[in-house]
Amino acid sequence: MKTMILSKLPSKSTRLRRCRFHFNLASDSSSARPFSSSTISTEKNDPTTQFQKTASNVCEVIRRKPRWESSILSLFPPSTSGIFHSICISLVIRRLSDSNPLLSFRYLLWLSSTSSSISLDPEAAGSFLNALSASRAWKPALHAIRSVKCLSEFSVLDPFVFHLCSDTRSIYCDNNLLYDLCDILESHSTELSLPSWNSILYASLITEKTDLFHRFYSMMIESGTDPDASTAGYLIRALCRDGEPTVAYHVLRDVSRKRIIPDVVSITQLISAFSKGGNFGRVSEILHLMIASGSQPDLFTYQEIINALCDGAGRTAMVDEAFRIFNDLKLKGYACDVVTYTTMIDGLCKSGRMEEALLLWSEMVANGIRPNNYTYNAIINGYCKSGNIDHARKIYDEMLSKGFKESTVSCNTMLAGLCLHGRLADAINLFAEMPKRGIHHDVITYNTLIQCLCKEGKTSDAIELYSSMLATSIKPSISTYTPLIMILCEEGRMTDAMELIKIMEAQGLEPLVCSNDFIISGFCRVGDAEKGMAWLSRMLQGNLKPRAETMDRLVECLCSLGQVDCALQVMKKMFDISYSVGSSVCHLLISKLCAVDSYQACQLLDEIVLVES
DNA sequence: ATAGGGTTAG
């Protein structure tokens, strides 16, 4: 007991001391000065004594009178009381800051509305901002900095900025804090210390304000502050978040030439970005650079690579490579954890290698790692995809019996499994069950079932489900509309299909290219070649390439309507965008043309040969 | 001392 107290106490007091160091540096060094009898004459009519008197009276009034602003000047006439003298102002600010920071803020506001330029000593300015920082009154503090010039002096502003940006919770809560800070810094072109710049950059990064990040970063560079490893790391992370891994990579190259090595987290994010983009050549390059510069990739680094290698469902070779890295990790003594195991198990499940996945599961358990929701879901998904719904169900029940709660994701997984294997009735049943079991639907739940209903030809049920979705707070996505548009086009319900396209556009959703194909084919199906052609023009204008099949259909439709010229026009449009025309379309059109006009047929043939060469 | 990692449809 005693040792516990002893071991705890010192660390706590060190922390306290450190806090005071940051917060009260200015006030500590000066606290004695105004009242120090050794430096100031004690005569009655000494001006300093006068200011002290006024200051304490002003404080009294401000503390006691609710609406002191309206009467304070009549109580303290500026010419005789010295209320606007910098010594007096500083004294009031310091006293109020100590007891009631917001009152000192109000006093400062009043000052700035009354007197054009306020001057207070840096110590008072410092304790003012420290007091507001300590009570996390960031908005008033920023407001004060904006309106009172002496608050943006380096010695006052720098610690303030550092504390503001370290309070990540407030920054998350109030989006505008960083923007306000940015505006202030841009208008003052203040210098800041490297730690302060880094804390600003970190705050911008974690709140995903990369626009701000770059503004701050330029200010930092313009102010002549040299970035360090943290700065470089944050820059790399910001660029990765912006989808600019290549730029981030060049930053990494540049700084490592100067022997500045960003932290593993940042480099891992860069590796993650290239992994997700499938650029594994670049990934191994960065790994080499990392190792050569003396920093070791860790479990997280490899985890990103393994995950990306497992991502492509059809790429079994990549899963093999992931598995190789995974096994290599174990050999090298990395402590693979539940996430690493789950990622690998999921990769194996997704490529249909259930036996290996289950072996890994056993190995994991043997190593004392408990499977969690994610692990269970990977296996359930694996069984669902391979059509073994009953096994999936068994694992699902096991998951529940182990105390893991089912979720929207686990239900969606089962739902998709049922849908995939034609068990529509069970799927509908599960959908209805979900809310009863306290599991809410989401956009994926709806999309899965809508797609399934469309696939099974239950168009009206699909539309009904879509309508009921609109009554919820769940917003439809592109994948909600794609199967609906497809089925409507297949049924020749072009008015309804076009209606959905319009709704999508109104919701800012871009129909997939294949939906455009469906529309054209649909118009052909109902013999409306004109609308089909119009839609084709729209597609081509939007730089979308129709499928060869769609073209076949349109040419076929136009030919059957005897509109060979139009068919020819379609062909020309294809040539214009140097689209390679399928041979079946060429055959069809040329044979049609031959029947009408063999000269034109020859011309077309020439052009095809020209384009294809 | 701590940061960063894995799931469902298409």
Side-chain angles (χ1 to χ4, degrees), chain A residues 109-153:
Chain A
L109 275 194
W110 171 77
L111 276 177
S112 65
S113 71
T114 315
S115 138
S116 55
S117 74
I118 303 156
S119 105
L120 64 161
D121 60 56
E123 288 81 5
S127 54
F128 172 75
L129 282 188
N130 284 342
L132 289 179
S133 297
S135 49
R136 299 179 168 199
W138 306 114
K139 269 229 117 81
L142 288 164
H143 186 99
I145 293 167
R146 231 196 303 261
S147 39
V148 179
K149 205 180 152 223
C150 53
L151 292 177
S152 43
E153 304 237 333

mmCIF file of all heavy atoms in Angstrom, chain A residues 109-153:
data_model
loop_
_atom_site.group_PDB
_atom_site.id
_atom_site.type_symbol
_atom_site.label_atom_id
_atom_site.label_comp_id
_atom_site.label_asym_id
_atom_site.label_seq_id
_atom_site.Cartn_x
_atom_site.Cartn_y
_atom_site.Cartn_z
ATOM 1 N N LEU A 109 -12.984 42.622 -23.769
ATOM 2 C CA LEU A 109 -13.920 43.022 -24.834
ATOM 3 C C LEU A 109 -14.367 44.458 -24.638
ATOM 4 O O LEU A 109 -14.402 45.251 -25.575
ATOM 5 C CB LEU A 109 -15.165 42.126 -24.819
ATOM 6 C CG LEU A 109 -15.141 40.819 -25.553
ATOM 7 C CD1 LEU A 109 -16.572 40.291 -25.669
ATOM 8 C CD2 LEU A 109 -14.539 40.986 -26.932
ATOM 9 N N TRP A 110 -14.676 44.758 -23.385
ATOM 10 C CA TRP A 110 -15.138 46.116 -23.067
ATOM 11 C C TRP A 110 -14.030 47.119 -23.375
ATOM 12 O O TRP A 110 -14.267 48.145 -23.995
ATOM 13 C CB TRP A 110 -15.544 46.195 -21.597
ATOM 14 C CG TRP A 110 -15.821 47.597 -21.153
ATOM 15 C CD1 TRP A 110 -16.932 48.331 -21.410
ATOM 16 C CD2 TRP A 110 -14.938 48.441 -20.425
ATOM 17 N NE1 TRP A 110 -16.809 49.591 -20.875
ATOM 18 C CE2 TRP A 110 -15.590 49.675 -20.267
ATOM 19 C CE3 TRP A 110 -13.642 48.272 -19.878
ATOM 20 C CZ2 TRP A 110 -15.003 50.750 -19.585
ATOM 21 C CZ3 TRP A 110 -13.061 49.327 -19.208
ATOM 22 C CH2 TRP A 110 -13.738 50.563 -19.061
ATOM 23 N N LEU A 111 -12.810 46.745 -22.969
ATOM 24 C CA LEU A 111 -11.667 47.624 -23.246
ATOM 25 C C LEU A 111 -11.535 47.902 -24.736
ATOM 26 O O LEU A 111 -11.381 49.043 -25.167
ATOM 27 C CB LEU A 111 -10.362 46.967 -22.770
ATOM 28 C CG LEU A 111 -9.975 47.108 -21.304
ATOM 29 C CD1 LEU A 111 -8.711 46.324 -21.046
ATOM 30 C CD2 LEU A 111 -9.783 48.577 -20.942
ATOM 31 N N SER A 112 -11.606 46.815 -25.526
ATOM 32 C CA SER A 112 -11.355 47.003 -26.957
ATOM 33 C C SER A 112 -12.500 47.766 -27.623
ATOM 34 O O SER A 112 -12.313 48.363 -28.672
ATOM 35 C CB SER A 112 -11.101 45.671 -27.657
ATOM 36 O OG SER A 112 -12.253 44.893 -27.615
ATOM 37 N N SER A 113 -13.668 47.778 -26.995
ATOM 38 C CA SER A 113 -14.761 48.572 -27.575
ATOM 39 C C SER A 113 -14.669 50.027 -27.124
ATOM 40 O O SER A 113 -15.229 50.908 -27.742
ATOM 41 C CB SER A 113 -16.104 47.980 -27.177
ATOM 42 O OG SER A 113 -16.323 48.217 -25.809
ATOM 43 N N THR A 114 -13.960 50.267 -26.051
ATOM 44 C CA THR A 114 -13.889 51.613 -25.494
ATOM 45 C C THR A 114 -12.641 52.358 -25.929
ATOM 46 O O THR A 114 -12.674 53.523 -26.308
ATOM 47 C CB THR A 114 -13.898 51.539 -23.948
ATOM 48 O OG1 THR A 114 -14.896 50.636 -23.546
ATOM 49 C CG2 THR A 114 -14.171 52.902 -23.339
ATOM 50 N N SER A 115 -11.555 51.663 -25.869
ATOM 51 C CA SER A 115 -10.286 52.326 -26.175
ATOM 52 C C SER A 115 -9.690 51.688 -27.411
ATOM 53 O O SER A 115 -9.776 50.472 -27.597
ATOM 54 C CB SER A 115 -9.385 52.204 -24.942
ATOM 55 O OG SER A 115 -8.085 51.896 -25.323
ATOM 56 N N SER A 116 -9.110 52.511 -28.262
ATOM 57 C CA SER A 116 -8.695 52.007 -29.569
ATOM 58 C C SER A 116 -7.531 51.020 -29.479
ATOM 59 O O SER A 116 -7.564 49.960 -30.078
ATOM 60 C CB SER A 116 -8.340 53.172 -30.489
ATOM 61 O OG SER A 116 -7.358 53.974 -29.870
ATOM 62 N N SER A 117 -6.498 51.365 -28.711
ATOM 63 C CA SER A 117 -5.403 50.408 -28.616
ATOM 64 C C SER A 117 -5.151 50.059 -27.163
ATOM 65 O O SER A 117 -5.012 50.949 -26.320
ATOM 66 C CB SER A 117 -4.139 50.973 -29.260
ATOM 67 O OG SER A 117 -3.589 51.952 -28.411
ATOM 68 N N ILE A 118 -5.176 48.763 -26.899
ATOM 69 C CA ILE A 118 -4.985 48.327 -25.529
ATOM 70 C C ILE A 118 -3.562 47.850 -25.389
ATOM 71 O O ILE A 118 -3.078 47.084 -26.214
ATOM 72 C CB ILE A 118 -5.909 47.143 -25.213
ATOM 73 C CG1 ILE A 118 -7.343 47.555 -25.473
ATOM 74 C CG2 ILE A 118 -5.719 46.657 -23.803
ATOM 75 C CD1 ILE A 118 -8.223 46.385 -25.762
ATOM 76 N N SER A 119 -2.898 48.306 -24.355
ATOM 77 C CA SER A 119 -1.576 47.741 -24.152
ATOM 78 C C SER A 119 -1.522 47.107 -22.784
ATOM 79 O O SER A 119 -1.963 47.687 -21.789
ATOM 80 C CB SER A 119 -0.519 48.840 -24.342
ATOM 81 O OG SER A 119 -0.011 49.246 -23.116
ATOM 82 N N LEU A 120 -1.095 45.850 -22.779
ATOM 83 C CA LEU A 120 -0.893 45.191 -21.490
ATOM 84 C C LEU A 120 0.413 44.427 -21.569
ATOM 85 O O LEU A 120 0.857 44.066 -22.669
ATOM 86 C CB LEU A 120 -2.067 44.289 -21.108
ATOM 87 C CG LEU A 120 -2.443 43.074 -21.912
ATOM 88 C CD1 LEU A 120 -3.292 42.153 -21.079
ATOM 89 C CD2 LEU A 120 -3.231 43.477 -23.142
ATOM 90 N N ASP A 121 1.031 44.219 -20.421
ATOM 91 C CA ASP A 121 2.358 43.595 -20.483
ATOM 92 C C ASP A 121 2.241 42.121 -20.862
ATOM 93 O O ASP A 121 1.195 41.499 -20.660
ATOM 94 C CB ASP A 121 3.115 43.816 -19.167
ATOM 95 C CG ASP A 121 2.405 43.230 -17.976
ATOM 96 O OD1 ASP A 121 2.124 42.014 -17.993
ATOM 97 O OD2 ASP A 121 2.109 43.999 -17.037
ATOM 98 N N PRO A 122 3.302 41.569 -21.452
ATOM 99 C CA PRO A 122 3.255 40.191 -21.951
ATOM 100 C C PRO A 122 2.897 39.186 -20.860
ATOM 101 O O PRO A 122 2.242 38.182 -21.143
ATOM 102 C CB PRO A 122 4.677 39.934 -22.447
ATOM 103 C CG PRO A 122 5.292 41.271 -22.617
ATOM 104 C CD PRO A 122 4.602 42.207 -21.694
ATOM 105 N N GLU A 123 3.298 39.467 -19.621
ATOM 106 C CA GLU A 123 2.971 38.537 -18.541
ATOM 107 C C GLU A 123 1.459 38.476 -18.336
ATOM 108 O O GLU A 123 0.894 37.397 -18.186
ATOM 109 C CB GLU A 123 3.655 38.967 -17.239
ATOM 110 C CG GLU A 123 5.154 38.748 -17.213
ATOM 111 C CD GLU A 123 5.937 39.860 -17.925
ATOM 112 O OE1 GLU A 123 5.293 40.858 -18.355
ATOM 113 O OE2 GLU A 123 7.152 39.725 -18.075
ATOM 114 N N ALA A 124 0.836 39.633 -18.355
ATOM 115 C CA ALA A 124 -0.619 39.670 -18.181
ATOM 116 C C ALA A 124 -1.304 39.005 -19.374
ATOM 117 O O ALA A 124 -2.242 38.210 -19.215
ATOM 118 C CB ALA A 124 -1.099 41.092 -18.031
ATOM 119 N N ALA A 125 -0.803 39.317 -20.572
ATOM 120 C CA ALA A 125 -1.360 38.704 -21.777
ATOM 121 C C ALA A 125 -1.253 37.190 -21.686
ATOM 122 O O ALA A 125 -2.191 36.454 -21.996
ATOM 123 C CB ALA A 125 -0.629 39.224 -23.006
ATOM 124 N N GLY A 126 -0.081 36.730 -21.212
ATOM 125 C CA GLY A 126 0.149 35.286 -21.077
ATOM 126 C C GLY A 126 -0.801 34.658 -20.080
ATOM 127 O O GLY A 126 -1.414 33.625 -20.363
ATOM 128 N N SER A 127 -0.959 35.307 -18.899
ATOM 129 C CA SER A 127 -1.828 34.653 -17.915
ATOM 130 C C SER A 127 -3.280 34.708 -18.365
ATOM 131 O O SER A 127 -4.062 33.807 -18.052
ATOM 132 C CB SER A 127 -1.646 35.247 -16.514
ATOM 133 O OG SER A 127 -1.818 36.638 -16.547
ATOM 134 N N PHE A 128 -3.619 35.741 -19.121
ATOM 135 C CA PHE A 128 -4.976 35.814 -19.671
ATOM 136 C C PHE A 128 -5.258 34.610 -20.569
ATOM 137 O O PHE A 128 -6.232 33.877 -20.391
ATOM 138 C CB PHE A 128 -5.131 37.122 -20.460
ATOM 139 C CG PHE A 128 -6.415 37.228 -21.226
ATOM 140 C CD1 PHE A 128 -7.610 37.489 -20.592
ATOM 141 C CD2 PHE A 128 -6.414 37.086 -22.616
ATOM 142 C CE1 PHE A 128 -8.799 37.589 -21.304
ATOM 143 C CE2 PHE A 128 -7.590 37.179 -23.337
ATOM 144 C CZ PHE A 128 -8.787 37.430 -22.677
ATOM 145 N N LEU A 129 -4.382 34.381 -21.548
ATOM 146 C CA LEU A 129 -4.609 33.255 -22.469
ATOM 147 C C LEU A 129 -4.472 31.914 -21.766
ATOM 148 O O LEU A 129 -5.195 30.966 -22.075
ATOM 149 C CB LEU A 129 -3.650 33.332 -23.658
ATOM 150 C CG LEU A 129 -4.024 34.338 -24.751
ATOM 151 C CD1 LEU A 129 -3.116 34.170 -25.958
ATOM 152 C CD2 LEU A 129 -5.481 34.173 -25.175
ATOM 153 N N ASN A 130 -3.547 31.840 -20.791
ATOM 154 C CA ASN A 130 -3.406 30.589 -20.038
ATOM 155 C C ASN A 130 -4.681 30.250 -19.300
ATOM 156 O O ASN A 130 -5.090 29.093 -19.251
ATOM 157 C CB ASN A 130 -2.270 30.701 -19.025
ATOM 158 C CG ASN A 130 -0.935 30.589 -19.700
ATOM 159 O OD1 ASN A 130 -0.841 30.115 -20.835
ATOM 160 N ND2 ASN A 130 0.097 31.052 -19.024
ATOM 161 N N ALA A 131 -5.281 31.299 -18.722
ATOM 162 C CA ALA A 131 -6.502 31.059 -17.956
ATOM 163 C C ALA A 131 -7.623 30.570 -18.873
ATOM 164 O O ALA A 131 -8.343 29.626 -18.553
ATOM 165 C CB ALA A 131 -6.927 32.327 -17.244
ATOM 166 N N LEU A 132 -7.734 31.196 -20.039
ATOM 167 C CA LEU A 132 -8.769 30.752 -20.977
ATOM 168 C C LEU A 132 -8.461 29.344 -21.491
ATOM 169 O O LEU A 132 -9.359 28.523 -21.667
ATOM 170 C CB LEU A 132 -8.901 31.740 -22.140
ATOM 171 C CG LEU A 132 -9.531 33.097 -21.784
ATOM 172 C CD1 LEU A 132 -9.586 33.995 -23.011
ATOM 173 C CD2 LEU A 132 -10.938 32.933 -21.218
ATOM 174 N N SER A 133 -7.172 29.062 -21.743
ATOM 175 C CA SER A 133 -6.769 27.713 -22.182
ATOM 176 C C SER A 133 -7.163 26.687 -21.143
ATOM 177 O O SER A 133 -7.728 25.650 -21.464
ATOM 178 C CB SER A 133 -5.250 27.629 -22.371
ATOM 179 O OG SER A 133 -4.825 28.499 -23.377
ATOM 180 N N ALA A 134 -6.836 27.001 -19.882
ATOM 181 C CA ALA A 134 -7.081 26.030 -18.813
ATOM 182 C C ALA A 134 -8.564 25.715 -18.688
ATOM 183 O O ALA A 134 -8.924 24.596 -18.342
ATOM 184 C CB ALA A 134 -6.539 26.560 -17.493
ATOM 185 N N SER A 135 -9.415 26.688 -18.993
ATOM 186 C CA SER A 135 -10.839 26.370 -18.918
ATOM 187 C C SER A 135 -11.394 26.054 -20.315
ATOM 188 O O SER A 135 -12.608 26.057 -20.506
ATOM 189 C CB SER A 135 -11.615 27.508 -18.246
ATOM 190 O OG SER A 135 -11.255 28.738 -18.831
ATOM 191 N N ARG A 136 -10.510 25.791 -21.224
ATOM 192 C CA ARG A 136 -10.875 25.407 -22.598
ATOM 193 C C ARG A 136 -11.828 26.390 -23.251
ATOM 194 O O ARG A 136 -12.693 25.989 -24.045
ATOM 195 C CB ARG A 136 -11.514 24.027 -22.608
ATOM 196 C CG ARG A 136 -10.590 22.974 -22.101
ATOM 197 C CD ARG A 136 -11.299 21.647 -22.123
ATOM 198 N NE ARG A 136 -10.339 20.578 -21.900
ATOM 199 C CZ ARG A 136 -10.543 19.318 -22.204
ATOM 200 N NH1 ARG A 136 -11.680 18.981 -22.756
ATOM 201 N NH2 ARG A 136 -9.641 18.421 -21.981
ATOM 202 N N ALA A 137 -11.658 27.659 -22.908
ATOM 203 C CA ALA A 137 -12.513 28.674 -23.513
ATOM 204 C C ALA A 137 -11.836 29.154 -24.792
ATOM 205 O O ALA A 137 -11.377 30.292 -24.894
ATOM 206 C CB ALA A 137 -12.742 29.816 -22.535
ATOM 207 N N TRP A 138 -11.751 28.249 -25.749
ATOM 208 C CA TRP A 138 -10.961 28.532 -26.954
ATOM 209 C C TRP A 138 -11.579 29.605 -27.824
ATOM 210 O O TRP A 138 -10.879 30.431 -28.393
ATOM 211 C CB TRP A 138 -10.774 27.243 -27.788
ATOM 212 C CG TRP A 138 -10.193 26.123 -27.011
ATOM 213 C CD1 TRP A 138 -10.784 24.944 -26.685
ATOM 214 C CD2 TRP A 138 -8.870 26.073 -26.425
ATOM 215 N NE1 TRP A 138 -9.933 24.157 -25.938
ATOM 216 C CE2 TRP A 138 -8.757 24.820 -25.776
ATOM 217 C CE3 TRP A 138 -7.796 26.957 -26.389
ATOM 218 C CZ2 TRP A 138 -7.598 24.427 -25.096
ATOM 219 C CZ3 TRP A 138 -6.640 26.564 -25.715
ATOM 220 C CH2 TRP A 138 -6.546 25.326 -25.082
ATOM 221 N N LYS A 139 -12.882 29.574 -27.915
ATOM 222 C CA LYS A 139 -13.544 30.566 -28.780
ATOM 223 C C LYS A 139 -13.300 31.988 -28.276
ATOM 224 O O LYS A 139 -12.867 32.844 -29.045
ATOM 225 C CB LYS A 139 -15.054 30.277 -28.855
ATOM 226 C CG LYS A 139 -15.376 29.367 -30.006
ATOM 227 C CD LYS A 139 -16.504 29.835 -30.890
ATOM 228 C CE LYS A 139 -16.036 30.110 -32.289
ATOM 229 N NZ LYS A 139 -15.913 28.920 -33.108
ATOM 230 N N PRO A 140 -13.589 32.257 -26.969
ATOM 231 C CA PRO A 140 -13.274 33.591 -26.465
ATOM 232 C C PRO A 140 -11.802 33.949 -26.652
ATOM 233 O O PRO A 140 -11.481 35.071 -27.033
ATOM 234 C CB PRO A 140 -13.621 33.484 -24.973
ATOM 235 C CG PRO A 140 -14.601 32.388 -24.881
ATOM 236 C CD PRO A 140 -14.277 31.433 -25.972
ATOM 237 N N ALA A 141 -10.927 32.963 -26.412
ATOM 238 C CA ALA A 141 -9.494 33.235 -26.539
ATOM 239 C C ALA A 141 -9.158 33.668 -27.958
ATOM 240 O O ALA A 141 -8.455 34.668 -28.178
ATOM 241 C CB ALA A 141 -8.697 31.994 -26.150
ATOM 242 N N LEU A 142 -9.686 32.942 -28.936
ATOM 243 C CA LEU A 142 -9.397 33.289 -30.337
ATOM 244 C C LEU A 142 -9.968 34.654 -30.684
ATOM 245 O O LEU A 142 -9.338 35.451 -31.381
ATOM 246 C CB LEU A 142 -9.969 32.208 -31.266
ATOM 247 C CG LEU A 142 -9.217 30.873 -31.230
ATOM 248 C CD1 LEU A 142 -10.054 29.766 -31.853
ATOM 249 C CD2 LEU A 142 -7.871 30.987 -31.934
ATOM 250 N N HIS A 143 -11.144 34.908 -30.142
ATOM 251 C CA HIS A 143 -11.769 36.206 -30.362
ATOM 252 C C HIS A 143 -10.876 37.319 -29.805
ATOM 253 O O HIS A 143 -10.637 38.337 -30.456
ATOM 254 C CB HIS A 143 -13.144 36.245 -29.697
ATOM 255 C CG HIS A 143 -13.923 37.479 -29.973
ATOM 256 N ND1 HIS A 143 -14.912 37.535 -30.930
ATOM 257 C CD2 HIS A 143 -13.842 38.725 -29.441
ATOM 258 C CE1 HIS A 143 -15.405 38.753 -30.962
ATOM 259 N NE2 HIS A 143 -14.779 39.501 -30.062
ATOM 260 N N ALA A 144 -10.386 37.103 -28.599
ATOM 261 C CA ALA A 144 -9.531 38.098 -27.946
ATOM 262 C C ALA A 144 -8.251 38.324 -28.751
ATOM 263 O O ALA A 144 -7.825 39.460 -28.956
ATOM 264 C CB ALA A 144 -9.191 37.637 -26.533
ATOM 265 N N ILE A 145 -7.658 37.221 -29.233
ATOM 266 C CA ILE A 145 -6.413 37.346 -30.008
ATOM 267 C C ILE A 145 -6.663 38.181 -31.258
ATOM 268 O O ILE A 145 -5.850 39.008 -31.660
ATOM 269 C CB ILE A 145 -5.877 35.945 -30.388
ATOM 270 C CG1 ILE A 145 -5.429 35.196 -29.134
ATOM 271 C CG2 ILE A 145 -4.725 36.057 -31.381
ATOM 272 C CD1 ILE A 145 -5.177 33.727 -29.356
ATOM 273 N N ARG A 146 -7.835 37.947 -31.843
ATOM 274 C CA ARG A 146 -8.155 38.690 -33.065
ATOM 275 C C ARG A 146 -8.282 40.194 -32.791
ATOM 276 O O ARG A 146 -7.904 41.017 -33.608
ATOM 277 C CB ARG A 146 -9.456 38.164 -33.661
ATOM 278 C CG ARG A 146 -9.320 37.833 -35.143
ATOM 279 C CD ARG A 146 -10.680 37.698 -35.773
ATOM 280 N NE ARG A 146 -11.487 36.684 -35.085
ATOM 281 C CZ ARG A 146 -11.622 35.458 -35.531
ATOM 282 N NH1 ARG A 146 -11.026 35.096 -36.644
ATOM 283 N NH2 ARG A 146 -12.373 34.585 -34.893
ATOM 284 N N SER A 147 -8.846 40.535 -31.606
ATOM 285 C CA SER A 147 -9.115 41.957 -31.401
ATOM 286 C C SER A 147 -8.043 42.696 -30.590
ATOM 287 O O SER A 147 -8.035 43.919 -30.585
ATOM 288 C CB SER A 147 -10.498 42.156 -30.770
ATOM 289 O OG SER A 147 -10.747 41.171 -29.804
ATOM 290 N N VAL A 148 -7.159 41.966 -29.937
ATOM 291 C CA VAL A 148 -6.126 42.651 -29.154
ATOM 292 C C VAL A 148 -4.745 42.242 -29.654
ATOM 293 O O VAL A 148 -4.353 41.089 -29.563
ATOM 294 C CB VAL A 148 -6.263 42.315 -27.652
ATOM 295 C CG1 VAL A 148 -5.185 43.009 -26.847
ATOM 296 C CG2 VAL A 148 -7.644 42.710 -27.158
ATOM 297 N N LYS A 149 -4.040 43.238 -30.164
ATOM 298 C CA LYS A 149 -2.808 42.969 -30.899
ATOM 299 C C LYS A 149 -1.731 42.266 -30.061
ATOM 300 O O LYS A 149 -1.078 41.325 -30.515
ATOM 301 C CB LYS A 149 -2.259 44.295 -31.444
ATOM 302 C CG LYS A 149 -1.382 44.114 -32.665
ATOM 303 C CD LYS A 149 -0.867 45.452 -33.180
ATOM 304 C CE LYS A 149 0.454 45.264 -33.893
ATOM 305 N NZ LYS A 149 1.423 46.281 -33.556
ATOM 306 N N CYS A 150 -1.584 42.738 -28.802
ATOM 307 C CA CYS A 150 -0.452 42.213 -28.039
ATOM 308 C C CYS A 150 -0.621 40.749 -27.637
ATOM 309 O O CYS A 150 0.304 40.141 -27.127
ATOM 310 C CB CYS A 150 -0.194 43.078 -26.810
ATOM 311 S SG CYS A 150 -1.647 43.306 -25.804
ATOM 312 N N LEU A 151 -1.782 40.148 -27.911
ATOM 313 C CA LEU A 151 -1.962 38.724 -27.616
ATOM 314 C C LEU A 151 -1.319 37.838 -28.685
ATOM 315 O O LEU A 151 -1.192 36.641 -28.508
ATOM 316 C CB LEU A 151 -3.461 38.388 -27.496
ATOM 317 C CG LEU A 151 -4.194 38.987 -26.296
ATOM 318 C CD1 LEU A 151 -5.666 38.644 -26.346
ATOM 319 C CD2 LEU A 151 -3.578 38.502 -24.989
ATOM 320 N N SER A 152 -0.942 38.453 -29.802
ATOM 321 C CA SER A 152 -0.333 37.600 -30.841
ATOM 322 C C SER A 152 1.190 37.704 -30.862
ATOM 323 O O SER A 152 1.820 37.350 -31.848
ATOM 324 C CB SER A 152 -0.936 37.923 -32.207
ATOM 325 O OG SER A 152 -1.061 39.295 -32.388
ATOM 326 N N GLU A 153 1.770 38.149 -29.760
ATOM 327 C CA GLU A 153 3.224 38.093 -29.632
ATOM 328 C C GLU A 153 3.643 36.631 -29.468
ATOM 329 O O GLU A 153 2.943 35.856 -28.816
ATOM 330 C CB GLU A 153 3.669 38.842 -28.382
ATOM 331 C CG GLU A 153 3.205 40.270 -28.340
ATOM 332 C CD GLU A 153 4.366 41.227 -28.211
ATOM 333 O OE1 GLU A 153 5.400 40.809 -27.658
ATOM 334 O OE2 GLU A 153 4.234 42.372 -28.691
#
